[in-house]
Amino acid sequence: MSVTICQSMGFVVSALGIGGIIASTCMDQWSTQDLYNNPVTAVFNYQGLWRTCVRESSGFTECRGYFTILGLPAMFQAVRALMIVGIVLGLLGLFVCIFALKCIRIGSMEDTAKANMTLTSGIMFIVAGLCAITGVSVFANMLVTNFWMSTTNMYQGMQNVQNRYTFGSALFVGWVAGGLALVGGIMMCLACKGLIPEESRYKAVSYNASGRNISYRTGPYKGGPGYEADPRTRKGVGYEEAPRSEDGRRPYPSKYDYV
């Protein structure tokens, strides 16, 4: 029962995490304009991974997509790639995990197959969560660097060169979603061990000697047929030669009278 609960909770937590990763990737507020020194402004700028938007004081919002790929910074494109990889792996993990749930029976699928599928989906969720956390962290590092560069230029009298941008809500959603996917993947990996049948697990076999002490004694060599020694040369206890007559022959034929 605990294995089923762990697997089900891992599936739910991972599904929430993957949904959050998709939401954060599609959100436009990855970076927002810093209004610390200018709280009252006619326009408000914010940017996402796919477009940049401007919201006026009247409430009208206009967005413009990035119509170039090569013109964007390399780190920006790397963040895009990490988020897309996280989404793809997360969706594949959810698809595999649905068939691996213990509460769902599909045909005659064995528990060993379900355990392998559970482990596979758990690894996918972990990698997806790491991709999301890494992508969001890289973008946050870019924002911090640009923020301090803009602050330096502002103090040097070049405040009109560019606006300062700070963390947007999409970054926090991405961090939380990546953490949920990571935790869900770990729970799925833990549930995999409980799904493996007991008889299929490796068990060490110990060979113990029996209670009675058995001693092995060597007996006399017994040759095979055709290799018997001349019995007339054998002398020992219990060997008696057949009585012979006056002419030297035995009164009855024997198997030894061949020479």
Side-chain angles (χ1 to χ4, degrees), residues 75-138:
M75 298 300 293
F76 192 86
Q77 298 181 14
V79 172
R80 278 183 170 183
L82 287 172
M83 299 304 292
I84 292 175
V85 170
I87 292 174
V88 173
L89 289 177
L91 293 177
L92 289 177
L94 289 176
F95 181 76
V96 174
C97 185
I98 291 175
F99 296 99
L101 292 176
K102 192 175 182 179
C103 57
I104 298 177
R105 287 291 179 182
I106 300 177
S108 59
M109 184 180 295
E110 298 179 355
D111 292 338
T112 304
K114 284 184 174 291
N116 294 331
M117 295 174 67
T118 302
L119 180 61
T120 302
S121 61
I123 294 175
M124 287 183 177
F125 291 146
I126 292 175
V127 176
L130 291 177
C131 288
I133 294 175
T134 304
V136 175
S137 300
V138 170

Short mmCIF file of all heavy atoms in Angstrom, two decimals, residues 75-138:
data_model
loop_
_atom_site.label_atom_id
_atom_site.label_comp_id
_atom_site.label_asym_id
_atom_site.label_seq_id
_atom_site.Cartn_x
_atom_site.Cartn_y
_atom_site.Cartn_z
N MET A 75 23.64 32.61 -24.52
CA MET A 75 23.08 32.15 -23.26
C MET A 75 21.56 32.16 -23.28
O MET A 75 20.90 31.29 -22.70
CB MET A 75 23.60 33.01 -22.11
CG MET A 75 25.10 32.96 -21.92
SD MET A 75 25.70 31.29 -21.56
CE MET A 75 25.00 31.04 -19.96
N PHE A 76 21.00 33.13 -23.95
CA PHE A 76 19.54 33.20 -24.08
C PHE A 76 19.01 31.99 -24.86
O PHE A 76 17.99 31.39 -24.49
CB PHE A 76 19.16 34.51 -24.80
CG PHE A 76 17.71 34.84 -24.74
CD1 PHE A 76 17.18 35.53 -23.67
CD2 PHE A 76 16.86 34.47 -25.77
CE1 PHE A 76 15.83 35.84 -23.62
CE2 PHE A 76 15.51 34.76 -25.72
CZ PHE A 76 14.99 35.45 -24.64
N GLN A 77 19.68 31.64 -25.92
CA GLN A 77 19.28 30.46 -26.68
C GLN A 77 19.48 29.17 -25.88
O GLN A 77 18.70 28.22 -26.00
CB GLN A 77 20.07 30.39 -27.99
CG GLN A 77 19.83 31.58 -28.91
CD GLN A 77 20.62 31.47 -30.21
OE1 GLN A 77 21.13 30.40 -30.54
NE2 GLN A 77 20.72 32.57 -30.93
N ALA A 78 20.52 29.15 -25.04
CA ALA A 78 20.74 27.98 -24.20
C ALA A 78 19.61 27.81 -23.19
O ALA A 78 19.17 26.68 -22.91
CB ALA A 78 22.08 28.10 -23.47
N VAL A 79 19.10 28.92 -22.65
CA VAL A 79 17.97 28.84 -21.72
C VAL A 79 16.74 28.29 -22.43
O VAL A 79 16.01 27.45 -21.90
CB VAL A 79 17.69 30.23 -21.12
CG1 VAL A 79 16.41 30.21 -20.30
CG2 VAL A 79 18.85 30.67 -20.26
N ARG A 80 16.50 28.76 -23.63
CA ARG A 80 15.38 28.22 -24.42
C ARG A 80 15.52 26.71 -24.60
O ARG A 80 14.55 25.96 -24.41
CB ARG A 80 15.35 28.90 -25.79
CG ARG A 80 14.68 30.25 -25.84
CD ARG A 80 14.68 30.73 -27.27
NE ARG A 80 13.87 31.92 -27.46
CZ ARG A 80 13.67 32.49 -28.65
NH1 ARG A 80 14.26 31.96 -29.73
NH2 ARG A 80 12.92 33.56 -28.76
N ALA A 81 16.71 26.27 -24.99
CA ALA A 81 16.92 24.85 -25.25
C ALA A 81 16.72 24.03 -23.98
O ALA A 81 16.10 22.95 -24.01
CB ALA A 81 18.33 24.63 -25.80
N LEU A 82 17.21 24.50 -22.84
CA LEU A 82 17.05 23.76 -21.59
C LEU A 82 15.58 23.63 -21.20
O LEU A 82 15.14 22.56 -20.77
CB LEU A 82 17.83 24.45 -20.47
CG LEU A 82 19.36 24.31 -20.53
CD1 LEU A 82 20.01 25.21 -19.48
CD2 LEU A 82 19.77 22.87 -20.30
N MET A 83 14.82 24.69 -21.37
CA MET A 83 13.41 24.62 -21.01
C MET A 83 12.65 23.68 -21.94
O MET A 83 11.77 22.92 -21.50
CB MET A 83 12.79 26.01 -21.04
CG MET A 83 13.42 27.00 -20.07
SD MET A 83 13.42 26.46 -18.35
CE MET A 83 11.67 26.51 -17.99
N ILE A 84 12.98 23.70 -23.22
CA ILE A 84 12.30 22.81 -24.17
C ILE A 84 12.64 21.36 -23.87
O ILE A 84 11.77 20.48 -23.90
CB ILE A 84 12.68 23.20 -25.61
CG1 ILE A 84 12.08 24.57 -25.95
CG2 ILE A 84 12.18 22.15 -26.60
CD1 ILE A 84 12.50 25.09 -27.31
N VAL A 85 13.91 21.08 -23.58
CA VAL A 85 14.31 19.71 -23.25
C VAL A 85 13.60 19.25 -21.98
O VAL A 85 13.14 18.10 -21.88
CB VAL A 85 15.84 19.63 -23.09
CG1 VAL A 85 16.25 18.29 -22.49
CG2 VAL A 85 16.52 19.82 -24.43
N GLY A 86 13.48 20.13 -20.99
CA GLY A 86 12.77 19.78 -19.77
C GLY A 86 11.30 19.46 -20.03
O GLY A 86 10.75 18.51 -19.46
N ILE A 87 10.66 20.22 -20.90
CA ILE A 87 9.25 19.96 -21.22
C ILE A 87 9.09 18.63 -21.94
O ILE A 87 8.21 17.83 -21.62
CB ILE A 87 8.68 21.12 -22.06
CG1 ILE A 87 8.60 22.39 -21.21
CG2 ILE A 87 7.31 20.76 -22.61
CD1 ILE A 87 8.18 23.62 -21.99
N VAL A 88 9.96 18.37 -22.92
CA VAL A 88 9.85 17.13 -23.70
C VAL A 88 10.07 15.91 -22.79
O VAL A 88 9.31 14.94 -22.82
CB VAL A 88 10.85 17.14 -24.87
CG1 VAL A 88 10.88 15.79 -25.57
CG2 VAL A 88 10.47 18.22 -25.87
N LEU A 89 11.12 15.96 -21.98
CA LEU A 89 11.38 14.83 -21.08
C LEU A 89 10.25 14.66 -20.06
O LEU A 89 9.88 13.54 -19.71
CB LEU A 89 12.71 15.03 -20.37
CG LEU A 89 13.97 14.86 -21.22
CD1 LEU A 89 15.21 15.16 -20.39
CD2 LEU A 89 14.05 13.47 -21.82
N GLY A 90 9.73 15.76 -19.57
CA GLY A 90 8.64 15.68 -18.61
C GLY A 90 7.38 15.06 -19.19
O GLY A 90 6.73 14.23 -18.55
N LEU A 91 7.03 15.45 -20.41
CA LEU A 91 5.84 14.88 -21.05
C LEU A 91 6.03 13.39 -21.35
O LEU A 91 5.11 12.59 -21.15
CB LEU A 91 5.52 15.64 -22.33
CG LEU A 91 5.06 17.11 -22.14
CD1 LEU A 91 4.84 17.77 -23.49
CD2 LEU A 91 3.80 17.16 -21.29
N LEU A 92 7.22 13.02 -21.80
CA LEU A 92 7.49 11.59 -22.03
C LEU A 92 7.44 10.81 -20.71
O LEU A 92 6.92 9.69 -20.66
CB LEU A 92 8.85 11.42 -22.70
CG LEU A 92 8.97 11.86 -24.16
CD1 LEU A 92 10.40 11.69 -24.65
CD2 LEU A 92 8.01 11.08 -25.04
N GLY A 93 7.98 11.41 -19.65
CA GLY A 93 7.92 10.75 -18.35
C GLY A 93 6.50 10.56 -17.86
O GLY A 93 6.15 9.52 -17.29
N LEU A 94 5.64 11.55 -18.07
CA LEU A 94 4.23 11.42 -17.69
C LEU A 94 3.55 10.32 -18.49
O LEU A 94 2.74 9.54 -17.95
CB LEU A 94 3.50 12.75 -17.87
CG LEU A 94 3.86 13.87 -16.90
CD1 LEU A 94 3.12 15.15 -17.28
CD2 LEU A 94 3.52 13.47 -15.47
N PHE A 95 3.84 10.25 -19.77
CA PHE A 95 3.23 9.22 -20.61
C PHE A 95 3.65 7.82 -20.16
O PHE A 95 2.82 6.91 -20.09
CB PHE A 95 3.63 9.46 -22.06
CG PHE A 95 3.04 8.46 -23.02
CD1 PHE A 95 1.71 8.54 -23.40
CD2 PHE A 95 3.82 7.43 -23.54
CE1 PHE A 95 1.16 7.61 -24.27
CE2 PHE A 95 3.28 6.51 -24.41
CZ PHE A 95 1.96 6.60 -24.79
N VAL A 96 4.92 7.66 -19.83
CA VAL A 96 5.40 6.36 -19.36
C VAL A 96 4.85 6.04 -17.97
O VAL A 96 4.49 4.90 -17.67
CB VAL A 96 6.94 6.32 -19.37
CG1 VAL A 96 7.46 5.04 -18.74
CG2 VAL A 96 7.47 6.45 -20.79
N CYS A 97 4.77 7.07 -17.14
CA CYS A 97 4.34 6.85 -15.76
C CYS A 97 2.87 6.44 -15.67
O CYS A 97 2.48 5.71 -14.76
CB CYS A 97 4.58 8.12 -14.95
SG CYS A 97 4.24 7.94 -13.19
N ILE A 98 2.05 6.89 -16.61
CA ILE A 98 0.64 6.52 -16.58
C ILE A 98 0.48 5.01 -16.71
O ILE A 98 -0.31 4.37 -16.00
CB ILE A 98 -0.12 7.26 -17.69
CG1 ILE A 98 -0.19 8.75 -17.37
CG2 ILE A 98 -1.53 6.69 -17.87
CD1 ILE A 98 -0.82 9.58 -18.46
N PHE A 99 1.25 4.40 -17.61
CA PHE A 99 1.16 2.94 -17.79
C PHE A 99 1.90 2.19 -16.69
O PHE A 99 1.71 0.97 -16.56
CB PHE A 99 1.75 2.56 -19.15
CG PHE A 99 0.98 3.12 -20.31
CD1 PHE A 99 1.42 4.27 -20.95
CD2 PHE A 99 -0.18 2.52 -20.75
CE1 PHE A 99 0.72 4.80 -22.02
CE2 PHE A 99 -0.89 3.05 -21.82
CZ PHE A 99 -0.44 4.19 -22.45
N ALA A 100 2.76 2.86 -15.94
CA ALA A 100 3.52 2.19 -14.89
C ALA A 100 2.82 2.22 -13.54
O ALA A 100 3.31 1.60 -12.60
CB ALA A 100 4.91 2.83 -14.75
N LEU A 101 1.70 2.94 -13.42
CA LEU A 101 1.02 3.02 -12.14
C LEU A 101 0.52 1.64 -11.72
O LEU A 101 -0.03 0.89 -12.52
CB LEU A 101 -0.15 4.00 -12.22
CG LEU A 101 0.22 5.48 -12.38
CD1 LEU A 101 -1.03 6.32 -12.55
CD2 LEU A 101 1.04 5.96 -11.19
N LYS A 102 0.72 1.33 -10.46
CA LYS A 102 0.34 0.01 -9.94
C LYS A 102 -1.17 -0.17 -9.90
O LYS A 102 -1.68 -1.29 -9.97
CB LYS A 102 0.95 -0.19 -8.56
CG LYS A 102 0.86 -1.62 -8.05
CD LYS A 102 1.60 -1.78 -6.74
CE LYS A 102 1.53 -3.24 -6.26
NZ LYS A 102 2.27 -3.42 -4.98
N CYS A 103 -1.89 0.94 -9.76
CA CYS A 103 -3.34 0.85 -9.68
C CYS A 103 -4.00 0.67 -11.04
O CYS A 103 -5.22 0.50 -11.12
CB CYS A 103 -3.90 2.10 -9.00
SG CYS A 103 -3.44 3.65 -9.81
N ILE A 104 -3.24 0.70 -12.10
CA ILE A 104 -3.77 0.54 -13.45
C ILE A 104 -3.23 -0.76 -14.01
O ILE A 104 -2.02 -0.98 -14.04
CB ILE A 104 -3.40 1.73 -14.36
CG1 ILE A 104 -4.00 3.02 -13.81
CG2 ILE A 104 -3.87 1.48 -15.78
CD1 ILE A 104 -3.63 4.24 -14.61
N ARG A 105 -4.10 -1.62 -14.46
CA ARG A 105 -3.72 -2.90 -15.05
C ARG A 105 -3.99 -2.86 -16.54
O ARG A 105 -5.09 -2.58 -16.98
CB ARG A 105 -4.51 -4.05 -14.41
CG ARG A 105 -4.07 -4.38 -12.99
CD ARG A 105 -2.69 -5.01 -13.00
NE ARG A 105 -2.24 -5.32 -11.65
CZ ARG A 105 -1.05 -5.84 -11.39
NH1 ARG A 105 -0.21 -6.09 -12.38
NH2 ARG A 105 -0.70 -6.10 -10.15
N ILE A 106 -2.95 -3.16 -17.32
CA ILE A 106 -3.06 -3.18 -18.77
C ILE A 106 -2.64 -4.57 -19.23
O ILE A 106 -1.45 -4.90 -19.25
CB ILE A 106 -2.18 -2.10 -19.42
CG1 ILE A 106 -2.60 -0.72 -18.93
CG2 ILE A 106 -2.29 -2.16 -20.93
CD1 ILE A 106 -1.74 0.40 -19.45
N GLY A 107 -3.63 -5.38 -19.60
CA GLY A 107 -3.32 -6.73 -20.07
C GLY A 107 -2.69 -7.56 -18.98
O GLY A 107 -3.12 -7.58 -17.83
N SER A 108 -1.65 -8.26 -19.35
CA SER A 108 -0.93 -9.13 -18.41
C SER A 108 0.46 -8.58 -18.12
O SER A 108 1.43 -9.32 -18.08
CB SER A 108 -0.81 -10.55 -18.98
OG SER A 108 -0.13 -10.52 -20.23
N MET A 109 0.56 -7.27 -17.94
CA MET A 109 1.85 -6.65 -17.66
C MET A 109 2.34 -7.08 -16.29
O MET A 109 1.62 -7.01 -15.30
CB MET A 109 1.73 -5.12 -17.73
CG MET A 109 3.06 -4.40 -17.53
SD MET A 109 2.88 -2.59 -17.64
CE MET A 109 2.38 -2.42 -19.35
N GLU A 110 3.57 -7.52 -16.22
CA GLU A 110 4.15 -8.00 -14.97
C GLU A 110 4.63 -6.83 -14.12
O GLU A 110 4.83 -5.72 -14.61
CB GLU A 110 5.31 -8.95 -15.26
CG GLU A 110 4.90 -10.20 -16.04
CD GLU A 110 6.09 -11.10 -16.32
OE1 GLU A 110 7.22 -10.68 -15.98
OE2 GLU A 110 5.88 -12.20 -16.85
N ASP A 111 4.82 -7.12 -12.84
CA ASP A 111 5.30 -6.08 -11.92
C ASP A 111 6.73 -5.66 -12.24
O ASP A 111 7.11 -4.52 -11.97
CB ASP A 111 5.22 -6.59 -10.48
CG ASP A 111 3.77 -6.75 -10.02
OD1 ASP A 111 2.89 -6.11 -10.62
OD2 ASP A 111 3.54 -7.53 -9.06
N THR A 112 7.51 -6.57 -12.80
CA THR A 112 8.88 -6.20 -13.16
C THR A 112 8.90 -5.14 -14.25
O THR A 112 9.70 -4.19 -14.20
CB THR A 112 9.64 -7.45 -13.63
OG1 THR A 112 9.60 -8.45 -12.61
CG2 THR A 112 11.10 -7.10 -13.91
N ALA A 113 8.02 -5.29 -15.23
CA ALA A 113 7.93 -4.27 -16.30
C ALA A 113 7.46 -2.94 -15.73
O ALA A 113 7.97 -1.88 -16.12
CB ALA A 113 6.99 -4.76 -17.40
N LYS A 114 6.50 -2.97 -14.81
CA LYS A 114 6.04 -1.73 -14.19
C LYS A 114 7.17 -1.07 -13.38
O LYS A 114 7.29 0.16 -13.36
CB LYS A 114 4.84 -2.02 -13.29
CG LYS A 114 3.53 -2.24 -14.04
CD LYS A 114 2.38 -2.42 -13.08
CE LYS A 114 1.05 -2.48 -13.82
NZ LYS A 114 0.70 -1.18 -14.41
N ALA A 115 7.98 -1.88 -12.72
CA ALA A 115 9.10 -1.33 -11.96
C ALA A 115 10.10 -0.64 -12.87
O ALA A 115 10.60 0.45 -12.56
CB ALA A 115 9.77 -2.44 -11.15
N ASN A 116 10.41 -1.25 -14.00
CA ASN A 116 11.35 -0.64 -14.95
C ASN A 116 10.78 0.65 -15.53
O ASN A 116 11.50 1.65 -15.70
CB ASN A 116 11.67 -1.63 -16.06
CG ASN A 116 12.43 -2.84 -15.56
OD1 ASN A 116 13.16 -2.77 -14.57
ND2 ASN A 116 12.27 -3.98 -16.23
N MET A 117 9.50 0.65 -15.85
CA MET A 117 8.88 1.86 -16.38
C MET A 117 8.83 2.96 -15.33
O MET A 117 9.01 4.14 -15.64
CB MET A 117 7.48 1.53 -16.88
CG MET A 117 7.45 0.58 -18.07
SD MET A 117 5.79 0.07 -18.53
CE MET A 117 5.11 1.62 -19.10
N THR A 118 8.59 2.59 -14.08
CA THR A 118 8.58 3.58 -13.01
C THR A 118 9.96 4.21 -12.83
O THR A 118 10.08 5.43 -12.65
CB THR A 118 8.13 2.92 -11.69
OG1 THR A 118 6.83 2.35 -11.86
CG2 THR A 118 8.09 3.93 -10.57
N LEU A 119 10.99 3.39 -12.88
CA LEU A 119 12.35 3.93 -12.76
C LEU A 119 12.69 4.83 -13.94
O LEU A 119 13.31 5.88 -13.77
CB LEU A 119 13.35 2.76 -12.68
CG LEU A 119 14.82 3.14 -12.56
CD1 LEU A 119 15.08 3.94 -11.30
CD2 LEU A 119 15.70 1.88 -12.58
N THR A 120 12.27 4.44 -15.13
CA THR A 120 12.54 5.27 -16.32
C THR A 120 11.86 6.62 -16.22
O THR A 120 12.46 7.67 -16.50
CB THR A 120 12.08 4.52 -17.58
OG1 THR A 120 12.75 3.26 -17.66
CG2 THR A 120 12.38 5.34 -18.82
N SER A 121 10.59 6.63 -15.83
CA SER A 121 9.87 7.90 -15.69
C SER A 121 10.47 8.76 -14.58
O SER A 121 10.55 9.99 -14.71
CB SER A 121 8.39 7.63 -15.41
OG SER A 121 8.23 6.90 -14.21
N GLY A 122 10.90 8.12 -13.49
CA GLY A 122 11.53 8.89 -12.42
C GLY A 122 12.81 9.58 -12.87
O GLY A 122 13.05 10.75 -12.53
N ILE A 123 13.62 8.88 -13.64
CA ILE A 123 14.85 9.49 -14.16
C ILE A 123 14.52 10.64 -15.10
O ILE A 123 15.17 11.70 -15.09
CB ILE A 123 15.71 8.42 -14.86
CG1 ILE A 123 16.20 7.39 -13.83
CG2 ILE A 123 16.90 9.06 -15.58
CD1 ILE A 123 16.95 6.23 -14.44
N MET A 124 13.49 10.47 -15.92
CA MET A 124 13.08 11.55 -16.83
C MET A 124 12.63 12.78 -16.05
O MET A 124 12.96 13.92 -16.41
CB MET A 124 11.96 11.06 -17.74
CG MET A 124 12.41 10.09 -18.81
SD MET A 124 11.05 9.64 -19.91
CE MET A 124 11.91 8.57 -21.08
N PHE A 125 11.87 12.57 -14.98
CA PHE A 125 11.42 13.71 -14.17
C PHE A 125 12.59 14.42 -13.51
O PHE A 125 12.61 15.65 -13.43
CB PHE A 125 10.43 13.22 -13.11
CG PHE A 125 9.12 12.75 -13.65
CD1 PHE A 125 8.43 11.70 -13.06
CD2 PHE A 125 8.57 13.34 -14.78
CE1 PHE A 125 7.22 11.26 -13.56
CE2 PHE A 125 7.35 12.91 -15.30
CZ PHE A 125 6.68 11.86 -14.69
N ILE A 126 13.55 13.65 -13.04
CA ILE A 126 14.72 14.27 -12.39
C ILE A 126 15.50 15.12 -13.40
O ILE A 126 15.89 16.26 -13.11
CB ILE A 126 15.61 13.18 -11.77
CG1 ILE A 126 14.90 12.52 -10.58
CG2 ILE A 126 16.95 13.76 -11.32
CD1 ILE A 126 15.66 11.36 -9.99
N VAL A 127 15.73 14.58 -14.58
CA VAL A 127 16.47 15.33 -15.60
C VAL A 127 15.68 16.56 -16.04
O VAL A 127 16.25 17.65 -16.25
CB VAL A 127 16.79 14.42 -16.79
CG1 VAL A 127 17.47 15.21 -17.90
CG2 VAL A 127 17.68 13.26 -16.36
N ALA A 128 14.35 16.43 -16.18
CA ALA A 128 13.53 17.57 -16.56
C ALA A 128 13.60 18.67 -15.51
O ALA A 128 13.71 19.86 -15.82
CB ALA A 128 12.09 17.12 -16.78
N GLY A 129 13.51 18.28 -14.22
CA GLY A 129 13.62 19.27 -13.16
C GLY A 129 14.97 19.97 -13.13
O GLY A 129 15.05 21.19 -12.95
N LEU A 130 16.04 19.20 -13.35
CA LEU A 130 17.38 19.80 -13.38
C LEU A 130 17.53 20.76 -14.56
O LEU A 130 18.16 21.81 -14.44
CB LEU A 130 18.44 18.71 -13.45
CG LEU A 130 18.59 17.84 -12.19
CD1 LEU A 130 19.62 16.74 -12.42
CD2 LEU A 130 18.98 18.69 -10.99
N CYS A 131 16.96 20.40 -15.72
CA CYS A 131 17.02 21.29 -16.89
C CYS A 131 16.30 22.60 -16.61
O CYS A 131 16.79 23.69 -16.95
CB CYS A 131 16.42 20.60 -18.10
SG CYS A 131 17.42 19.28 -18.79
N ALA A 132 15.11 22.53 -15.98
CA ALA A 132 14.35 23.74 -15.69
C ALA A 132 15.09 24.62 -14.68
O ALA A 132 15.20 25.84 -14.85
CB ALA A 132 12.97 23.37 -15.16
N ILE A 133 15.59 24.00 -13.60
CA ILE A 133 16.31 24.79 -12.59
C ILE A 133 17.57 25.42 -13.18
O ILE A 133 17.89 26.59 -12.91
CB ILE A 133 16.66 23.89 -11.40
CG1 ILE A 133 15.38 23.44 -10.67
CG2 ILE A 133 17.57 24.62 -10.42
CD1 ILE A 133 15.63 22.45 -9.57
N THR A 134 18.27 24.67 -14.01
CA THR A 134 19.48 25.22 -14.63
C THR A 134 19.16 26.36 -15.58
O THR A 134 19.83 27.41 -15.58
CB THR A 134 20.23 24.11 -15.38
OG1 THR A 134 20.52 23.03 -14.49
CG2 THR A 134 21.53 24.63 -15.98
N GLY A 135 18.13 26.20 -16.41
CA GLY A 135 17.75 27.25 -17.34
C GLY A 135 17.34 28.53 -16.64
O GLY A 135 17.77 29.64 -17.01
N VAL A 136 16.51 28.40 -15.60
CA VAL A 136 16.08 29.59 -14.86
C VAL A 136 17.25 30.24 -14.14
O VAL A 136 17.36 31.47 -14.10
CB VAL A 136 14.97 29.19 -13.86
CG1 VAL A 136 14.59 30.39 -13.00
CG2 VAL A 136 13.74 28.70 -14.62
N SER A 137 18.16 29.45 -13.61
CA SER A 137 19.31 30.01 -12.90
C SER A 137 20.25 30.75 -13.86
O SER A 137 20.79 31.80 -13.51
CB SER A 137 20.06 28.90 -12.18
OG SER A 137 19.23 28.24 -11.24
N VAL A 138 20.44 30.20 -15.05
CA VAL A 138 21.28 30.88 -16.04
C VAL A 138 20.67 32.22 -16.43
O VAL A 138 21.36 33.25 -16.54
CB VAL A 138 21.47 29.98 -17.27
CG1 VAL A 138 22.13 30.75 -18.41
CG2 VAL A 138 22.33 28.77 -16.90
#
